[in-house]
Amino acid sequence: MKTQNAVPETVSSEEQLEALLSEPYPEDVEFARQLEGDVIVLGAGGKMGPTLIRRMLRATEEANADTDVYAVSRYSEDGLEEKLQSWGAKTIKADLLEEGALDSLPDCENVIYLVGMKFGSSGQEPLTWAINAYLPGRVASRYSDSRISALSTGNVYPPVSPETGGCTETDDVGPVGEYAQSCLGRERVFQHFSKANETSTCLLRLNYAVEARYGVLLDLAKRVYAEEPVPLDMGYVNVIWQGDANSICFRSLELADSPADILNLTGPKILSVRDLAERFAEEFGCEVTFQGEEKETALLNDASRCTERFGEPKVPIDEIVELVASWVEQDGTTWGKPTKFHVRDGEF
């Protein structure tokens, strides 16, 4: 490990990876020290939930803060509930769409909302809308006296030219496809109840978080390693290390306001898919081929406000590329959920 690196070049186990993703920054510890009240995470079993929860628990412990962290999920993955419990979370098994499920949850001063449906949404549009747009209204009503930080997506924006620097929080939205439309519905519902009930709310337009088991960089690395053509339909992307996204998601509670605040959550650079693929080819010592050509537009977020508020991500892209490449070469565990980042018609 290079001492100047934020992450090791090689991570050899999921335990080591999860410890890395959940290691709190000094800013997290300070925020935990100042945070009033407990935290409840709805949708704790998804891609972001477990290491975000562990980061909050570790930050709370280091801050010697009297804060409980509740983790609510259906817990369909074997062993996840027990793992969260071993880290110190208070777990609650619940399907939030079921009648009475929200009423049974404890009151909490702080809510982090991670519930959402993306993959498999094509062909299940009614369920997608129920999860992404109906449920937020019920949650906003149940926790009208709390602070809410709710995960959204950069998919609510239209594709734009890389020369624009990406969409800012004040730009017009233009969701493509029903998944993206339902995510805008989620935002609009939270915005309505934030204003109607004076509920402090922050909406995080994330696009894209990456780590070794999942994400745009893993998708690219696996294609290059297998010597499969890399599609260039979406020729440019933003990414942010999942650990940095976890940190900002936790601290975004301090941005919660009424009317709801909106924050683009991603890395500060627009990255070329072609350049990233060629970088992985260098790491693997192989050739890379491409499919198609870059279009004039791509799905891009301008993270200027996020960077100004929370600082530059602590893990730079070069270190993430090295880690992901090493993970692929080791045949490390992955979640088997391709991001389909290159899809332009919104069908996921």
Side-chain angles (χ1 to χ4, degrees), residues 27-95:
E27 296 91 335
D28 301 326
V29 176
E30 181 58 30
F31 182 69
R33 185 175 290 114
Q34 298 176 6
L35 184 65
E36 295 182 1
D38 296 333
V39 183
I40 189 166
V41 179
L42 306 180
K47 298 181 293 294
M48 192 171 191
T51 55
L52 167 62
I53 290 166
R54 191 179 185 188
R55 176 180 288 257
M56 292 191 294
L57 289 164
R58 293 173 69 179
T60 296
E61 183 178 3
E62 288 190 32
N64 196 28
D66 184 20
T67 301
D68 287 329
V69 178
Y70 294 90
V72 182
S73 172
R74 291 177 299 168
Y75 291 111
S76 55
E77 178 187 333
D78 290 342
L80 177 58
E81 185 173 14
E82 292 76 14
K83 179 187 287 187
L84 288 169
Q85 290 171 350
S86 73
W87 290 340
K90 296 182 179 297
T91 63
I92 301 172
K93 190 170 185 177
D95 183 339

Side-chain angles (χ1 to χ4, degrees), residues 7-28:
V7 300
E9 292 181 6
T10 301
V11 174
S12 58
S13 68
E14 282 197 90
E15 291 77 14
Q16 186 182 2
L17 177 62
E18 289 176 342
L20 181 66
L21 289 166
S22 64
E23 183 175 356
Y25 300 148
E27 296 91 335
D28 301 326

Side-chain angles (χ1 to χ4, degrees), residues 58-336:
R58 293 173 69 179
T60 296
E61 183 178 3
E62 288 190 32
N64 196 28
D66 184 20
T67 301
D68 287 329
V69 178
Y70 294 90
V72 182
S73 172
R74 291 177 299 168
Y75 291 111
S76 55
E77 178 187 333
D78 290 342
L80 177 58
E81 185 173 14
E82 292 76 14
K83 179 187 287 187
L84 288 169
Q85 290 171 350
S86 73
W87 290 340
K90 296 182 179 297
T91 63
I92 301 172
K93 190 170 185 177
D95 183 339
L96 298 182
L97 280 178
E98 289 185 355
E99 197 65 36
L102 284 168
D103 295 334
S104 69
L105 299 182
D107 294 337
C108 274
E109 292 86 345
N110 304 285
V111 178
I112 295 181
Y113 184 86
L114 304 180
V115 183
M117 181 173 179
K118 179 178 182 180
F119 303 113
S121 57
S122 295
Q124 298 190 84
E125 288 82 2
L127 178 60
T128 300
W129 280 88
I131 292 174
N132 290 349
Y134 164 74
L135 183 58
R138 300 194 65 179
V139 169
S141 295
R142 168 66 180 83
Y143 287 102
S144 59
D145 295 327
S146 304
R147 289 194 297 180
I148 301 175
S149 187
L151 198 64
S152 184
T153 172
N155 285 77
V156 299
Y157 292 123
V160 295
S161 167
E163 285 72 25
T164 65
C167 293
T168 69
E169 292 87 347
T170 56
D171 285 345
D172 291 338
V173 293
V176 177
E178 285 210 42
Y179 160 70
Q181 292 165 10
S182 71
C183 291
L184 180 58
R186 172 172 54 209
E187 289 193 8
R188 295 301 191 226
V189 170
F190 271 123
Q191 286 174 316
H192 167 73
F193 285 101
S194 173
K195 186 175 182 180
N197 298 330
E198 297 185 351
T199 302
S200 295
T201 304
C202 180
L203 302 171
L204 298 171
R205 290 174 175 169
L206 175 63
N207 195 42
Y208 297 96
V210 295
E211 54 130 298
R213 297 168 296 183
Y214 170 85
V216 172
L217 296 187
L218 175 64
D219 291 350
L220 288 174
K222 289 177 66 178
R223 281 183 177 270
V224 174
Y225 192 71
E227 298 187 3
E228 298 174 354
V230 173
L232 294 175
D233 304 70
M234 199 74 76
Y236 302 89
V237 294
N238 306 111
V239 302
I240 185 170
W241 175 243
Q242 181 71 73
D244 284 312
N246 286 344
S247 174
I248 294 169
C249 183
F250 177 36
R251 290 185 285 147
S252 70
L253 284 166
E254 68 185 10
L255 296 182
D257 201 359
S258 175
D261 198 358
I262 297 174
L263 184 74
N264 286 346
L265 173 49
T266 192
K269 296 181 180 179
I270 292 176
L271 305 172
S272 161
V273 169
R274 184 186 295 271
D275 290 348
L276 288 169
E278 290 175 346
R279 174 65 192 279
F280 279 119
E282 291 177 9
E283 292 287 330
F284 297 138
C286 67
E287 298 295 322
V288 59
T289 59
F290 297 96
Q291 185 179 60
E293 295 289 336
E294 293 88 341
K295 303 293 191 296
E296 293 183 358
T297 61
L299 187 64
L300 300 168
N301 289 14
D302 184 325
S304 298
R305 182 167 178 258
C306 185
T307 301
E308 180 181 351
R309 182 65 185 81
F310 294 107
E312 293 273 348
K314 295 189 185 295
V315 182
I317 186 65
D318 288 345
E319 293 182 23
I320 308 173
V321 167
E322 291 175 359
L323 187 150
V324 171
S326 172
W327 191 263
V328 169
E329 288 180 312
Q330 296 174 67
D331 194 24
T333 299
T334 64
W335 290 339

